[in-house]
Every structure is written in structure tokens, then in C-alpha cells.
Amino acid sequence: MASTDVSMLGRDRGGRQKAKSASSGILVFLLLLALVMPFYFYLGNFRISPYRAYMIIAIVPVLVQWARGAAGPVYTVDFLVILAALLMPISLFVNHGVAKQWEFSGILAIETLAPYFIARVLVRDINSFRSFVRGAYIIIIVLLPFAVIESFTGRKIILDLFDVVFEVYKPANQEPRLGLNRAQVSMPHPILFGVFCSSAFALIWYSLGSKDSLFKRVRRGSIVGAAVFLSLSAGAFMGVLIQGFLIFWDEIFKRKKSRWIVLSVGVFFILTALELGSNRNVFQIIASELTFSKSSGYNRILIFTHAKDDILNSPIFGIGFRWWTRPLWLKGSVDNFWLLISLRYGLPLFFTFFSMYLTVIIKTIRVPLVGYSAGVRTGYVISLIGIGLAAFTVHLWESTYCLFLFLLGSGAWFWSEVGVSGDGDIAGDDKGGINSRSSRARIRYTRFPKK
């Protein structure tokens, strides 16, 4: 009788957890869908896009849930995100005054806090993480045909369809590259479409069907890679190349425990050799060589050269939206996320953001995992490395900025005992099967023999 009660209790608990995971998956998918919606509307003078509406509605509930412990333990990264959300408005208030910047500062704080804490609350185990990755993959599959049509014909079908009813993002009208139009699809700029797709590359490789054949895994990766390529964004494509190389390295040397140490040492010596043996530094080499356009690479070098002087002149609060020093013919856009946050908001924000980024990666790497969970962790870290390095050549703004914060928060379940040893570490393939358990999950604490 007692064993029956325990069994029923376990089934009830499992049923509730599955229902909770399913509802969380739906909410996460709605957020991803909101990130790629092409329309917006106005409340007074304030522009509201679907993802902003989602953030505004969700910000208070998720912060309350986090404060109550629904997101698990509180981590240092949580407070770094809160600090970043405070530093940006402070910088804008110092540079421009409260009256002129309170609206933008408010939405900027929401777009920093909400996506991170939404991920912390909704992505709590390996099943909800897989659901997030699957949702991103479905969206990319749906958008890919529209990207192909736009690349070859220039027709922006999604923008035209929504333009019948709503106000939509303006066509980017970028110059063709490699004889193709740059696919904007449903986002404000081709760069944003490319970055959105590239962030999912390693996640999909490791999280979806890890026991599938190499052909199926390459097919999934090719779909993502094609979408990124059609954006013709060098930064986004570089992110995929970096992820692809790291995946290749992991697959080839999977049986070598020291493979990542060997790779890190090798990269260090290569970068050192480039610095010592070339008349250009590493950044100049990457900016000029890994690009679809030589002029774009040259502009990136000029932007970095001039912007760093303004950063050193205003290191604490940055320059806000004021003119930054540059030749008159050079456009004011800064294609470097890490550089721009330093220039606009000051070095304290840069160190806060970079500390968040490195802490998430290092903390995730140090968790002892085996089997499927370890593979998912590898994909997550590779994805973060890809988007973090790509951010040196592109700016993350609007929906991709929110996606970046969401990614940082979506891996916190790796760090908690609940996320690793609970329902989630029983990793399923796409058919829901079990691939592996952690060593902790295999231990049976009982005095009765196994039947």
C-alpha cells in the first residue's frame, strides 16, 4: 500500500511537472515569435513592437517569481543584470537629462531585465531548454523560404503582408552582395535576421536528436546556415563559422578529455603569432579579411580607432547619443556591440556586461555533467561563444539584444541541482527516449534488491 501511494505521488508530481514544462514552452515560443514579428504600433509617442509588449507585460510577474525563488537559487549574474539595467539609464541621464531620456531609459531597462529573468523563470530544466531550441528551429524553418525569395527577387513578402494592416519596419534597402539581395525577412535589418538564426546553430546541433545520424544533424545545421548566409551579414556568418569549427573539433576529438585545453592553447599561440608577425593587430586582420565587403572591414577599423579615443575621454558615463569623433563622411553606426556600449554608456557597463557573459560561460563549463546533458551544455557554451565573438563585428539591438539576454538566462538551470538531477537530466531524443543519466541519477538509495 505504501509503495502504491509513493508511486501515485510520483506520477502526480511528474504530471504536474510535465504540465508546467508544457506551459513554459508555450510562453517561450510566444516570446520567440514576438522577436521576429515585423509590425509595431504607437502609444502616444512611444513605439511598441510585439516583443516590447511581451516584455512590458512580463517584467513584473517574472521579477516577483524570481524574488520568491521560482527561478531557483539567486546567482551573482542576476545582480549583474540588475546593475546593467541601472547603469544605462544613469549614463543617459548624466549626458542628456532625465526629462529627455526617461522613456527610452525605461524601455532599455525593461529590455535588459525582462528577457533574462523570463529565461530564468521559464527555462528551468533540460526539457524546457529543448522546447526553447525546438521553437527557434521551427521559426527558422518557416522564415527560410521567405529569405530565399527575398534574396533572389528582392520581394519582402512578410513585410508586404503585414503592411496591409499594421505599420511595419522599413525596407533596409542594403546594397546587394555576391549578386544576392540581403534578406531582411521580418526584421528591421538583415544583420538582425542573421544574428537571430546564427545563435541557434550549435543549440540545434546538440539539443535536437543527439542520437540521430550525421546526415540528419548536418541537414538541420544546413538549414540554419543557409538562413544566416542569406542575410549576407559577415558578423552573423562569422558566428556560424566559429560554432561550426568548435562543433567539428568536438566531434573529431570527442574521446580526448583535454581537447578544449589543447584548442585554447593553440588559439593563444596563433593569435600571438599574428600579433608579432603582422603589421596589423588581430582585430584589424579579422575585420578586413572576414567580411563580404572590403570597405565594410576598413570602416570597422576606422570606427574602432576613433571611438576608443572618445571612450578614454569619457570612461565613466560615456557620451550617450552625442556625436562621436569621426571623419564627416563616415556613418555614425557602430558595428561592434562591445565597443558601442562602452562608447555610449561608459566602461563600467562594458565590464558589467562582459562579466555577465564570462561568468555564465565559466560557471556552465564547471558543472560536472555526463551524457546528453553534457552535450546540450556544450552546444549552449558554443552558441554563447559564437554570438559573443560575432558581437565584435555587429551591434546587437532591439530583438537581438533581448535574445542575447535571454540566452544568458536560459542556461542557469545547468548550475542548480534541481535542473541537473531532476526530471530534466533524463535526456530524451526527438522521440522522447532516454539517452543517458547523470552518475548521481543512477545511484539507488534503498535496502531492497533491484527487481
Side-chain angles (χ1 to χ4, degrees), residues 75-88:
Y75 299 109
T76 303
V77 180
D78 299 346
F79 293 106
L80 289 175
V81 173
I82 295 172
L83 178 61
L86 293 174
L87 287 175
M88 287 185 280

Side-chain angles (χ1 to χ4, degrees), residues 211-355:
K211 296 299 182 181
D212 284 347
S213 66
L214 180 63
F215 172 77
K216 289 184 178 180
R217 300 173 78 183
V218 170
R219 183 181 63 188
R220 292 192 191 100
S222 299
I223 290 173
V224 178
V228 175
F229 173 78
L230 293 175
S231 73
L232 292 172
S233 168
F237 198 65
M238 185 180 74
V240 166
L241 291 178
I242 292 171
Q243 293 178 68
F245 172 75
L246 293 176
I247 291 171
F248 174 79
W249 181 271
D250 184 44
E251 293 290 340
I252 294 297
F253 300 104
K254 183 167 289 186
R255 298 185 182 276
K256 304 293 183 181
K257 292 184 178 181
S258 61
R259 62 190 180 279
W260 298 117
I261 296 176
V262 172
L263 178 62
S264 300
V265 173
V267 170
F268 172 78
F269 279 111
I270 290 173
L271 295 180
T272 302
L274 289 174
E275 284 281 355
L276 297 177
S278 174
N279 59 354
R280 298 177 295 172
N281 60 42
V282 173
F283 171 77
Q284 291 174 332
I285 294 173
I286 294 174
S288 59
E289 300 300 330
L290 296 180
T291 179
F292 288 109
S293 170
K294 292 294 183 182
S295 61
S296 296
Y298 177 68
N299 286 343
R300 286 195 180 99
I301 295 172
L302 283 179
I303 289 169
F304 180 82
T305 301
H306 291 286
K308 71 178 182 180
D309 295 332
D310 286 335
I311 293 172
L312 295 177
N313 290 331
S314 304
I316 305 301
F317 298 109
I319 66 171
F321 296 112
R322 298 200 303 269
W323 176 277
W324 57 277
T325 305
R326 65 182 186 273
L328 293 176
W329 54 266
L330 186 63
K331 292 182 179 180
S333 61
V334 178
D335 297 330
N336 185 326
F337 171 74
W338 302 110
L339 181 66
L340 183 61
I341 61 175
S342 306
L343 176 66
R344 183 175 291 174
Y345 305 109
L347 289 176
L349 181 69
F350 167 78
F351 288 120
T352 301
F353 247 101
F354 209 67
S355 297

Side-chain angles (χ1 to χ4, degrees), residues 10 21 43-44 55 91-92 114 134 144 176 186 189 235 242-243 263 268-269 283 306 325 332 385 413 430:
S21 180
L43 289 178
M55 302 292 173
S91 173
L92 294 179
R134 186 184 294 110
L144 180 59
S186 64
H189 196 281
I242 292 171
Q243 293 178 68
L263 178 62
F268 172 78
F269 279 111
F283 171 77
H306 291 286
T325 305
I385 291 173
W413 64 271
D430 279 346

